[in-house]
Amino acid sequence: MLLADAAAGLLVAVLLMARGLSRTDTGSVPAGEPSADWTPVWSFGALALAVGVTGGVLLRLGHRGLGAVQLALCAVLV
């Protein structure tokens, strides 16, 4: 289960790095207001969901300490 959390974290990191690499700095000022960028919101939301589900499963399996740490991490991400 913790490997799934690591994979979700890696996916978020890759998405955010790819988004940063795709930006081009042409030096020109765009006309109008820029559109909203929802990539970080969705990425951290998916990561928080994965960590929260893992914490819930750990609590259900009887690992109270590990489950509490996972849910605390989930709260930080949210």
Side-chain angles (χ1 to χ4, degrees), residues 6-22 39 43:
L10 181 63
L11 180 64
V12 168
V14 166
L15 284 174
L16 292 177
M17 284 189 288
R19 182 181 62 95
L21 290 175
S22 68
T39 305
S43 298

Side-chain angles (χ1 to χ4, degrees), residues 8-73:
L10 181 63
L11 180 64
V12 168
V14 166
L15 284 174
L16 292 177
M17 284 189 288
R19 182 181 62 95
L21 290 175
S22 68
R23 293 182 183 164
T24 58
D25 189 14
T26 59
S28 63
V29 178
E33 195 171 316
S35 62
D37 185 14
W38 288 95
T39 305
V41 175
W42 286 107
S43 298
F44 283 111
L47 183 59
L49 179 66
V51 171
V53 168
T54 304
V57 169
L58 286 171
L59 285 176
R60 193 112 163 110
L61 292 174
H63 300 286
R64 292 185 179 188
L66 292 174
V69 169
Q70 287 290 105
L71 291 177
L73 182 60

